[in-house]
């Protein structure tokens, strides 16, 4: 729902894509603020108005009742003939005009019909109404474009971060990997967290002067510290190396998923205040 100002009169517009509805009550207020309902009823009883509404409904409303419409049209022009929006809607099943209750209550009409009513009220007012309505739609279109770009940016960011998380979460070791005997407990932890030994990492990164742990991020270093403590506990329990490696790898996968989503870990990285 939006408001546009037309020659000092506030007009309510209910936006719905191509089916925008404009307040006839607000338009009538420009002409006579004390008798808006009377103006709308007088317009409805006009034969030319009924012809227009009938054609519009037949073009846009499969549920329109042409038999009832013909009965109403035949009465148009008689001094005793009156027609309210409610009667028009109930008798014909019209959708081009509707009534709303509540704070923004009143009679509303599809923009095609609202422009026709505005022309009956004042040709000058109609032209200003069309101009301001077009300005509103241009603004909404620009906002839509911004929303689309913003949402695409969010989606791309999520894809990017998810890809990073997928890369950082330790791989699940195969039975063949866990059955190998590693020369040091340090490499055991490297396998559990990084999925490779220090030598394998150096072979993959010959131009890097550091080591596998030098390149670790904050989440990986926190996890590594936890794994060291846990591994010491497993050693005291007398668990075999292969069994410890399986448990450490499972723990690393679980902890890295949690750490990568933790705000405190991101602060350690300096990625947010």
């Amino acid at each position: 729902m939006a408001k546009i100002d037309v020659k000092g009169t506030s007009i309510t517009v209910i936006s719905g894509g191509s089916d925008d509805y404009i307040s006839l009550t607000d338009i009538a207020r420009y002409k006579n603020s004390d008798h808006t309902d009377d103006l709308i009823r007088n317009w409805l009883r006009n034969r030319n108005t009924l012809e227009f509404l009938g054609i519009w409904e037949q073009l846009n409303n499969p549920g329109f009742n042409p038999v009832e419409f013909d009965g109403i049209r035949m009465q148009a022009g008689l001094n005793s003939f009156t027609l309210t929006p409610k009667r028009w809607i109930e008798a014909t099943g019209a959708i081009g005009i509707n009534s709303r209750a509540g704070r923004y209550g009143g009679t509303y009409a599809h923009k095609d019909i609202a422009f026709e009513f505005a022309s009956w009220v004042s040709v000058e007012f109609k032209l200003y109404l069309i101009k301001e309505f077009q300005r509103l739609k241009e603004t909404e279109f620009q906002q839509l474009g911004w929303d689309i770009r913003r949402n695409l940016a969010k989606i791309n960011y999520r894809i990017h971060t998810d890809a990073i998380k997928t890369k950082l979460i330790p791989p699940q070791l195969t039975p063949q990997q866990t059955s190998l005997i590693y020369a040091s407990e340090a490499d055991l932890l490297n396998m559990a967290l990084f999925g490779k030994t220090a030598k394998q990492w150096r072979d993959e990164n010959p131009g890097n002067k550091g080591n596998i742990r030098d390149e670790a991020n904050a989440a990986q270093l926190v996890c590594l510290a936890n794994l060291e403590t846990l591994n010491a506990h497993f050693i005291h329990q007398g668990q075999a190396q292969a069994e410890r490696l399986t448990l450490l790898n499972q723990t690393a996968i679980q902890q890295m998923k949690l750490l990568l989503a933790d705000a405190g870990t991101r602060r350690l990285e300096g990625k947010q205040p």
Side-chain angles (χ1 to χ4, degrees):
M1 182 175 291
K3 293 277 189 178
I4 57 177
D5 184 89
V6 183
K7 292 183 67 63
T9 300
S10 180
I11 307 295
T12 305
V13 179
I14 302 175
S15 296
S18 60
D19 294 326
D20 296 298
Y21 279 68
I22 301 174
S23 173
L24 299 187
T25 303
D26 290 343
I27 295 174
R29 191 172 289 118
Y30 169 77
K31 185 75 172 180
N32 190 329
S33 60
D34 295 327
H35 301 285
T36 56
D37 289 343
D38 291 339
L39 279 174
I40 295 172
R41 284 195 294 266
N42 287 337
W43 175 68
L44 281 175
R45 67 191 299 269
N46 184 284
R47 180 178 291 275
N48 291 333
T49 299
L50 287 174
E51 292 286 354
F52 175 83
L53 292 177
I55 294 173
W56 190 93
E57 293 290 345
Q58 289 171 14
L59 290 174
N60 298 278
N61 180 11
F64 184 62
N65 190 328
V67 176
E68 289 292 337
F69 168 63
D70 286 338
I72 292 174
R73 181 172 54 179
M74 289 177 61
Q75 299 177 57
L78 298 176
N79 291 334
S80 60
F81 175 65
T82 60
L83 184 63
T84 64
K86 182 179 180 181
R87 182 190 169 200
W88 168 250
I89 296 167
E90 292 178 349
T92 66
I95 62 173
I97 295 177
N98 62 60
S99 296
R100 296 171 63 94
R103 182 180 177 185
Y104 299 103
T107 301
Y108 287 77
H110 188 277
K111 64 179 184 294
D112 298 341
I113 299 171
F115 292 150
E116 189 73 12
F117 177 62
S119 181
W120 181 80
V121 169
S122 165
V123 173
E124 180 187 17
F125 185 83
K126 172 189 176 180
L127 294 175
Y128 279 100
L129 174 62
I130 292 175
K131 181 179 179 180
E132 292 305 319
F133 178 80
Q134 290 174 338
R135 192 197 308 274
L136 171 67
K137 301 318 290 182
E138 289 171 2
T139 301
E140 288 180 350
F141 181 77
Q142 291 171 359
Q143 182 62 42
L144 176 63
W146 166 252
D147 287 343
I148 290 174
R149 291 193 298 272
R150 182 176 60 184
N151 288 330
L152 283 175
K154 288 182 179 179
I155 293 170
N156 287 335
Y157 177 76
R158 180 63 184 272
I159 292 172
H160 175 68
T161 54
D162 282 355
I164 292 174
K165 289 180 181 180
T166 301
K167 184 177 180 180
L168 292 177
I169 293 173
Q172 185 172 359
L173 300 179
T174 65
Q176 290 78 10
Q177 288 175 308
T178 56
S179 65
L180 294 176
I181 298 176
Y182 294 95
S184 69
E185 291 299 322
D187 260 344
L188 184 76
L189 297 177
N190 290 336
M191 281 298 299
L193 179 58
F194 303 110
K196 61 190 68 177
T197 65
K199 182 179 183 306
Q200 289 173 333
W201 186 89
R202 284 194 302 272
D203 291 343
E204 294 174 0
N205 301 273
N208 198 311
K209 296 181 180 180
N211 58 47
I212 189 171
R213 299 190 181 191
D214 291 333
E215 299 298 320
N217 61 27
Q220 289 171 321
L221 291 175
V222 171
C223 184
L224 183 61
N226 294 336
L227 293 181
E228 288 174 340
T229 302
L230 189 60
N231 188 42
H233 175 69
F234 289 156
I235 291 173
H236 284 300
Q237 287 186 330
Q239 294 188 32
Q241 190 184 68
E243 185 180 358
R244 285 188 282 120
L245 178 56
T246 298
L247 293 173
L248 291 170
N249 177 237
Q250 293 172 350
T251 302
I253 292 172
Q254 181 183 17
Q255 288 197 5
M256 283 301 295
K257 288 179 179 179
L258 296 174
L259 288 168
L260 288 171
D262 181 67
T265 307
R266 292 198 296 272
R267 281 196 289 271
L268 289 175
E269 293 281 3
K271 293 182 179 179
Q272 69 178 46

